[in-house]
Amino acid sequence: MIVDCHGHYTTAPQSLWDWRKRQAAGERPGPLKISDDQIRESLEGAQLKLQRSRGTDVTFSTPRASTMEHHVVVASISLEWTRLSNDLIHRCCSLYPKNFVPVCQLPQSPGVAPKESVGELLRCVKEMGFVGLNLNPDPSGGNWKDPPLTDRWWYPIYEMMVELDVPAMVHVSSSCNANFHATGAHYINADTTAFMQFLTSDLFKDFPALRFVIPHGGGAVPYHWGRYRGLAQDMKRPPLKELLLKNVYFDTCVYHQPGIDLMLKVIPPENILFASEMVGAVRGIDPETGQYYDDTKRYIQASSISAADKQKIFEGNARRVYPRWKPV
Ligand SMILES: [Zn+2]
């Protein structure tokens, strides 16, 4: 099987985004009306078509990351939006249980303790069969106002993640800071930042079973692996493999062959999960290859790693990291 652990429902019907716009403007838009046929239509021409044409089997599907927008509204409104977004993901996955597996967003807000998000995580996992979550390390949307992911501030979420045996993908939302383009800078910054936070802390001593997936190929981390190894050494920290690689994983949302090759060279295959983030940040075709940039399956297949390692990346690691996922 080929399991894509990172997909977003970016193609939801326009009425969803209209509803959100009104909600964020302070209106009370009333119940959202989207039919099952509208959901089918929104997926058939996009995520499902791409799954079929690329030959992937299942995608872990989350709400669109850029519209989590934790920084835009107060906590109670954010919670309402999050529940609605997660409910919609649940509907998509119920219509196509073989193709999509639900992963939730959380109702985070800048300055609001993460323990307030635990209820929604519990609801999604226990009541609706979600297998993981997206955790925003910067609910302020580019201003980084809350404590690092390694602070006890976040522990109530981690306690629940361990209890439920679900991993978190570290995933920011849109950027309200004009210095940081959302998908080109803010996302990659956050991936790199989270890794460095983990490196400097003993978080995984407190939570040996806690698991994070750092998306977008781990930001700058694989490329700068030597820097991180050296920093850990200078700080008298244990080697990275021992310190982090029982708990931290990277996805393959890297959109060119040399990037994937580098990642496969420096990160052990046990720590890499196949992903494309479709339909996501980069939607075009690479004129150098004639293929979609985000058709990442091609890069893995074209790499020189063994068939056994490819199997780990395409399927085996996802089964270990997301044990609540059971193929149907
Ligand atoms: Zn994403």
Side-chain angles (χ1 to χ4, degrees):
M1 276 187 96
I2 297 193
V3 184
D4 184 339
C5 76
H6 186 173
H8 296 289
Y9 188 30
T10 46
T11 58
Q14 185 56 38
S15 50
L16 176 68
W17 316 124
D18 293 342
W19 191 97
R20 167 61 173 176
K21 213 172 165 186
R22 291 177 60 197
Q23 190 219 27
E27 291 179 42
R28 307 297 301 156
L32 172 70
K33 291 196 184 86
I34 292 179
S35 69
D36 286 354
D37 278 346
Q38 282 178 296
I39 293 177
R40 287 191 190 97
E41 198 185 321
S42 69
L43 292 166
E44 284 287 349
Q47 287 86 350
L48 282 164
K49 189 175 113 187
L50 293 169
Q51 272 188 1
R52 288 169 188 143
S53 65
R54 296 176 185 184
T56 60
D57 297 295
V58 59
T59 305
F60 294 175
S61 181
T62 70
R64 185 160 81 174
S66 61
T67 45
M68 294 193 296
E69 292 182 329
H70 294 123
H71 54 286
V72 168
V73 291
V74 296
S76 58
I77 301 294
S78 190
L79 173 62
E80 184 183 47
W81 172 238
T82 295
R83 287 178 66 103
L84 183 135
S85 301
N86 289 333
D87 287 349
L88 194 57
I89 291 297
H90 180 246
R91 286 181 65 195
C92 295
C93 297
S94 303
L95 287 171
Y96 297 97
K98 283 189 177 146
N99 301 86
F100 300 113
V101 173
V103 168
C104 63
Q105 73 176 56
L106 293 183
Q108 301 175 246
S109 287
V112 174
K115 69 176 189 311
E116 304 298 331
S117 300
V118 169
E120 177 62 2
L121 175 59
L122 199 57
R123 182 182 83 97
C124 287
V125 175
K126 286 281 198 188
E127 294 176 23
M128 300 195 290
F130 282 54
V131 302
L133 61 137
N134 278 350
L135 183 65
N136 186 347
D138 174 28
S140 74
N143 291 316
W144 295 92
K145 288 186 173 160
D146 285 343
L149 284 177
T150 48
D151 192 276
R152 300 189 77 84
W153 169 259
W154 297 91
Y155 276 24
I157 291 184
Y158 302 157
E159 282 159 9
M160 187 51 71
M161 283 168 59
V162 170
E163 193 182 319
L164 296 171
D165 205 10
V166 293
M169 180 170 281
V170 177
H171 208 309
V172 284
S173 184
S174 58
S175 163
C176 64
N177 184 331
N179 289 286
F180 303 130
H181 181 274
T183 51
H186 186 41
Y187 281 25
I188 308 299
N189 292 347
D191 305 336
T192 311
T193 299
F195 185 83
M196 192 62 206
Q197 291 177 357
F198 296 148
L199 190 157
T200 48
S201 89
D202 288 322
L203 176 63
F204 301 119
K205 272 191 188 157
D206 286 351
F207 296 99
L210 191 62
R211 300 181 300 281
F212 289 101
V213 178
I214 303 189
H216 320 114
V221 171
Y223 190 61
H224 284 289
W225 196 241
R227 171 175 292 253
Y228 295 109
R229 284 183 54 229
L231 280 167
Q233 190 175 311
D234 289 351
M235 291 175 189
K236 314 285 182 223
R237 306 286 295 157
L240 290 189
K241 271 191 186 176
E242 200 181 301
L243 180 66
L244 298 180
L245 293 187
K246 291 185 194 80
N247 306 85
V248 176
Y249 301 82
F250 301 89
D251 81 7
T252 65
C253 295
V254 174
Y255 296 155
H256 65 152
Q257 188 71 47
I260 288 285
D261 289 342
L262 178 136
M263 182 183 195
L264 297 175
K265 213 166 181 177
V266 296
I267 306 295
E270 291 74 20
N271 291 81
I272 301 173
L273 277 71
F274 172 70
S276 68
E277 203 180 22
M278 65 90 173
V279 174
V282 176
R283 302 188 183 195
I285 288 175
D286 183 347
E288 292 180 12
T289 63
Q291 306 295 341
Y292 284 99
Y293 287 99
D294 68 357
D295 186 357
T296 52
K297 182 185 158 202
R298 289 175 181 276
Y299 310 133
I300 312 290
Q301 282 180 325
S303 74
S304 58
I305 59 170
S306 69
D309 285 348
K310 284 177 188 169
Q311 194 278 337
K312 285 178 194 166
I313 291 168
F314 280 135
E315 178 187 355
N317 296 337
R319 288 181 184 269
R320 275 194 302 123
V321 176
Y322 294 80
R324 279 185 171 265
W325 166 57
K326 305 276 184 268
V328 291

